[in-house]
Amino acid sequence: MKVARLYDYLDVRVEEEPVPHPGPGEALVRTRACGICSGDVVPWYIRKKAPLVFGHEPVGEIVEVGAGVTHVTPGTRVFVHHHAPCLTCRACRRGEFVQCPTWRATQIIPGGMAEYFLVPEINLAGDTLALPQTVSDEDGALVEPTACVVKSLTRAGQVADASVLIIGLGVMGQLHVVLARHLGARQVIGADLVATRCAHARALGADVVIDASNGDLAAQVADVTTGEGVEIVIVGPATIDALELGLRCVARGGTVVQFMGTPPEARLQLSTNDVYFREIRLVPSYSCGPIETRAALRYIEEGAVAARQVVTHRFPLAAAREAYRVAAEDRSAIKTLVTFGEA
Ligand SMILES: [Zn+2]
Ligand SMILES: [Zn+2]
């Protein structure tokens, strides 16, 4: 089978390797679509893992199951989460799935950018979701990114009737706009340095979009919130500057969500006086677990989230190198998918 292996930032090579065989409790999936994630194009992050067959937003069809597998059958179209928790450890029992040692150790084999991949027993049991007929392959490829947004907006507190600022309008920012709107936010504000992304967020329902290249964002946010700032700030860009900006835009009693991991050496200087007396919560939201993937699939099934809202580019696996370049560097790209032809 063909796989796309990531060696370094922008260095993707399509290679051949054997199709894996499912052992007891496992399943083999023929891939139908797989998204390129914002994290896949962060150089320091992928260099920790490279070389690897990247892709963790896959949809496919089960083609073979190992001994003892009875709850899914060949022919079923599925979304598979690449990480699955044990559901029994302390972290799992508290709902902190990404802190489960099993969650971190699990992965699909070799990855989503492959014509076939193996689903280990724990992923098959814990976070493999059959897709309803009405959910297309491309919609299904949004389960994982949407689930990350579900978690982020859950951690943000009550979104209904809140003002929400989303800094960074790449695909994850756009999905935040869509879901914040869907959850009844009073005011949705998007901010980015790229005019086309601002326009995209406007079309998806943002009340206000701010081109952050037109001067200080905090001042512009103050202008549209009668000087109060916003109750929820989602910080997309993985930089200290963006986090500091988020802290300057948040209202008293508000929440700043750190949505992406900053590099290991990054440090934030925080005014603990300001954080204390204005009662600002700074909360991280890393990835997602089985509760959020199920919620995401429900939003997709009911049509609140759909591929047509965000998917702008599609490539076959043979063009994975170009797909990666577009996802990493083309500012007109919101979501880039790799699609796989019928067998
Ligand atoms: Zn992802
Ligand atoms: Zn666990």
Side-chain angles (χ1 to χ4, degrees):
M1 65 174 180
K2 288 193 164 46
V3 305
R5 190 167 273 113
L6 181 58
Y7 283 84
D8 196 352
Y9 182 67
L10 298 176
D11 183 0
V12 172
R13 303 177 208 169
V14 176
E15 299 174 339
E16 283 282 337
E17 65 176 58
V19 176
H21 284 294
E26 299 175 341
L28 182 68
V29 171
R30 186 169 61 76
T31 316
R32 296 173 66 113
C34 186
I36 297 181
C37 178
S38 320
D40 291 331
V41 297
V42 175
W44 70 265
Y45 187 65
I46 52 127
R47 278 176 191 139
K48 290 194 309 183
K49 305 179 174 190
L52 84 162
V53 175
F54 71 114
H56 58 258
E57 302 172 358
V59 163
E61 180 183 333
I62 293 185
V63 288
E64 195 182 339
V65 295
V69 175
T70 52
H71 68 290
V72 286
T73 49
T76 309
R77 233 161 28 97
V78 288
F79 155 79
V80 183
H81 197 202
H82 61 303
H83 291 311
C86 76
L87 301 177
T88 57
C89 74
R90 281 293 305 156
C92 283
R93 279 185 281 156
R94 298 178 64 241
E96 303 286 351
F97 300 112
V98 309
Q99 305 307 327
C100 165
T102 301
W103 187 92
R104 286 172 181 245
T106 45
Q107 61 171 99
I108 58 172
I109 299 158
M113 295 295 175
E115 289 179 302
Y116 294 86
F117 63 87
L118 196 69
V119 186
E121 188 169 13
I122 195 114
N123 301 61
L124 191 62
D127 212 354
T128 295
L129 309 181
L131 296 180
Q133 276 293 322
T134 53
V135 172
S136 72
D137 295 340
E138 295 195 0
D139 291 333
L142 293 183
V143 169
E144 195 268 354
T146 303
C148 296
V149 174
V150 169
K151 177 170 166 177
S152 158
L153 287 177
T154 304
R155 294 198 155 199
Q158 187 178 311
V159 175
D161 200 38
S163 52
V164 182
L165 166 67
I166 297 138
I167 301 178
L169 296 171
V171 64
M172 302 313 281
Q174 303 289 344
L175 289 173
H176 272 94
V177 168
V178 168
L179 267 190
R181 185 89 284 162
H182 184 72
L183 294 171
R186 186 178 80 254
Q187 186 183 30
V188 178
I189 306 169
D192 201 286
L193 296 162
V194 180
T196 52
R197 291 180 174 179
C198 288
H200 199 99
R202 193 95 167 101
L204 288 181
D207 300 295
V208 181
V209 290
I210 298 175
D211 188 332
S213 59
N214 295 335
D216 182 40
L217 177 62
Q220 295 186 73
V221 167
D223 277 348
V224 295
T225 56
T226 58
E228 288 172 11
V230 286
E231 288 141 3
I232 294 171
V233 184
I234 309 295
V235 179
T239 65
I240 296 301
D241 283 355
L243 284 167
E244 284 174 344
L245 197 51
L247 287 162
R248 287 177 52 224
C249 292
V250 73
R252 291 175 171 275
T255 302
V256 176
V257 176
Q258 180 187 356
F259 187 71
M260 292 275 277
T262 44
E265 66 282 4
R267 295 291 181 273
L268 175 65
Q269 270 208 347
L270 201 59
S271 164
T272 44
N273 177 280
D274 178 62
V275 160
Y276 183 82
F277 285 105
R278 292 205 305 133
E279 294 192 307
I280 306 307
R281 285 173 290 267
L282 176 59
V283 299
S285 186
Y286 163 46
S287 192
C288 58
I291 291 185
E292 292 90 13
T293 54
R294 282 157 178 80
L297 181 53
R298 281 195 300 276
Y299 287 129
I300 291 167
E301 197 178 353
E302 69 190 45
V305 176
R308 66 180 147 69
Q309 295 165 331
V310 291
V311 175
T312 51
H313 293 71
R314 299 162 181 84
F315 295 88
L317 185 64
R321 185 186 189 87
E322 176 64 3
Y324 186 93
R325 190 198 62 76
V326 165
E329 296 193 325
D330 183 339
R331 299 202 140 191
S332 75
I334 303 289
K335 187 64 172 177
T336 303
L337 295 184
V338 169
T339 55
F340 297 71
E342 295 294 318

